[in-house]
mmCIF file of all heavy atoms in Angstrom:
data_model
loop_
_atom_site.group_PDB
_atom_site.id
_atom_site.type_symbol
_atom_site.label_atom_id
_atom_site.label_comp_id
_atom_site.label_asym_id
_atom_site.label_seq_id
_atom_site.Cartn_x
_atom_site.Cartn_y
_atom_site.Cartn_z
ATOM 1 N N LYS A 45 -8.524 5.993 -0.781
ATOM 2 C CA LYS A 45 -8.716 7.425 -0.525
ATOM 3 C C LYS A 45 -9.568 8.060 -1.624
ATOM 4 O O LYS A 45 -10.444 8.889 -1.343
ATOM 5 C CB LYS A 45 -7.370 8.147 -0.446
ATOM 6 C CG LYS A 45 -6.572 7.819 0.795
ATOM 7 C CD LYS A 45 -5.263 8.598 0.795
ATOM 8 C CE LYS A 45 -4.378 8.184 1.953
ATOM 9 N NZ LYS A 45 -3.092 8.899 1.924
ATOM 10 N N LEU A 46 -9.304 7.672 -2.884
ATOM 11 C CA LEU A 46 -10.095 8.213 -3.993
ATOM 12 C C LEU A 46 -11.571 7.854 -3.826
ATOM 13 O O LEU A 46 -12.455 8.698 -3.996
ATOM 14 C CB LEU A 46 -9.579 7.669 -5.329
ATOM 15 C CG LEU A 46 -8.267 8.236 -5.840
ATOM 16 C CD1 LEU A 46 -7.776 7.438 -7.039
ATOM 17 C CD2 LEU A 46 -8.428 9.688 -6.211
ATOM 18 N N GLU A 49 -13.195 9.884 -0.968
ATOM 19 C CA GLU A 49 -13.474 11.267 -1.381
ATOM 20 C C GLU A 49 -14.651 11.322 -2.345
ATOM 21 O O GLU A 49 -15.500 12.218 -2.249
ATOM 22 C CB GLU A 49 -12.233 11.903 -2.015
ATOM 23 C CG GLU A 49 -11.124 12.185 -1.037
ATOM 24 C CD GLU A 49 -11.485 13.237 0.004
ATOM 25 O OE1 GLU A 49 -12.372 14.084 -0.250
ATOM 26 O OE2 GLU A 49 -10.884 13.211 1.085
ATOM 27 N N MET A 53 -18.121 13.319 -1.611
ATOM 28 C CA MET A 53 -18.608 14.360 -2.519
ATOM 29 C C MET A 53 -20.033 14.054 -2.991
ATOM 30 O O MET A 53 -20.876 14.956 -3.077
ATOM 31 C CB MET A 53 -17.661 14.497 -3.715
ATOM 32 C CG MET A 53 -16.314 15.102 -3.339
ATOM 33 S SD MET A 53 -15.075 14.995 -4.641
ATOM 34 C CE MET A 53 -15.798 15.970 -5.927
ATOM 35 N N ARG A 65 -17.217 20.073 -6.667
ATOM 36 C CA ARG A 65 -15.910 20.616 -6.292
ATOM 37 C C ARG A 65 -14.828 19.648 -6.759
ATOM 38 O O ARG A 65 -15.101 18.499 -7.077
ATOM 39 C CB ARG A 65 -15.829 20.855 -4.794
ATOM 40 C CG ARG A 65 -15.850 19.595 -3.944
ATOM 41 C CD ARG A 65 -15.786 19.964 -2.453
ATOM 42 N NE ARG A 65 -15.537 18.813 -1.621
ATOM 43 C CZ ARG A 65 -16.456 17.983 -1.167
ATOM 44 N NH1 ARG A 65 -17.726 18.173 -1.499
ATOM 45 N NH2 ARG A 65 -16.142 16.962 -0.412
ATOM 46 N N GLN A 66 -13.638 20.139 -6.773
ATOM 47 C CA GLN A 66 -12.505 19.324 -7.193
ATOM 48 C C GLN A 66 -11.658 18.987 -5.984
ATOM 49 O O GLN A 66 -11.350 19.872 -5.172
ATOM 50 C CB GLN A 66 -11.674 20.091 -8.221
ATOM 51 C CG GLN A 66 -10.686 19.250 -8.958
ATOM 52 C CD GLN A 66 -10.051 20.038 -10.092
ATOM 53 O OE1 GLN A 66 -9.724 21.208 -9.941
ATOM 54 N NE2 GLN A 66 -9.883 19.393 -11.221
ATOM 55 N N VAL A 67 -11.299 17.734 -5.841
ATOM 56 C CA VAL A 67 -10.456 17.273 -4.743
ATOM 57 C C VAL A 67 -9.261 16.562 -5.352
ATOM 58 O O VAL A 67 -9.412 15.739 -6.260
ATOM 59 C CB VAL A 67 -11.222 16.304 -3.813
ATOM 60 C CG1 VAL A 67 -10.306 15.746 -2.743
ATOM 61 C CG2 VAL A 67 -12.414 17.001 -3.184
ATOM 62 N N THR A 68 -8.087 16.869 -4.860
ATOM 63 C CA THR A 68 -6.882 16.198 -5.326
ATOM 64 C C THR A 68 -6.419 15.212 -4.271
ATOM 65 O O THR A 68 -6.238 15.571 -3.108
ATOM 66 C CB THR A 68 -5.756 17.222 -5.596
ATOM 67 O OG1 THR A 68 -6.225 18.146 -6.582
ATOM 68 C CG2 THR A 68 -4.495 16.552 -6.075
ATOM 69 N N VAL A 69 -6.252 13.976 -4.682
ATOM 70 C CA VAL A 69 -5.686 12.947 -3.807
ATOM 71 C C VAL A 69 -4.321 12.623 -4.400
ATOM 72 O O VAL A 69 -4.229 12.013 -5.460
ATOM 73 C CB VAL A 69 -6.574 11.685 -3.752
ATOM 74 C CG1 VAL A 69 -5.921 10.615 -2.901
ATOM 75 C CG2 VAL A 69 -7.963 12.033 -3.224
ATOM 76 N N PRO A 70 -3.248 13.067 -3.734
ATOM 77 C CA PRO A 70 -1.922 12.861 -4.308
ATOM 78 C C PRO A 70 -1.553 11.377 -4.362
ATOM 79 O O PRO A 70 -1.922 10.599 -3.496
ATOM 80 C CB PRO A 70 -0.981 13.617 -3.374
ATOM 81 C CG PRO A 70 -1.792 14.131 -2.250
ATOM 82 C CD PRO A 70 -3.224 13.763 -2.475
ATOM 83 N N GLY A 71 -0.847 11.028 -5.403
ATOM 84 C CA GLY A 71 -0.305 9.682 -5.536
ATOM 85 C C GLY A 71 1.213 9.742 -5.477
ATOM 86 O O GLY A 71 1.795 10.815 -5.307
#
Side-chain angles (χ1 to χ4, degrees):
K45 289 181 186 178
L46 286 170
E49 290 295 336
M53 290 169 63
R65 67 181 191 275
Q66 194 172 41
V67 175
T68 301
V69 177

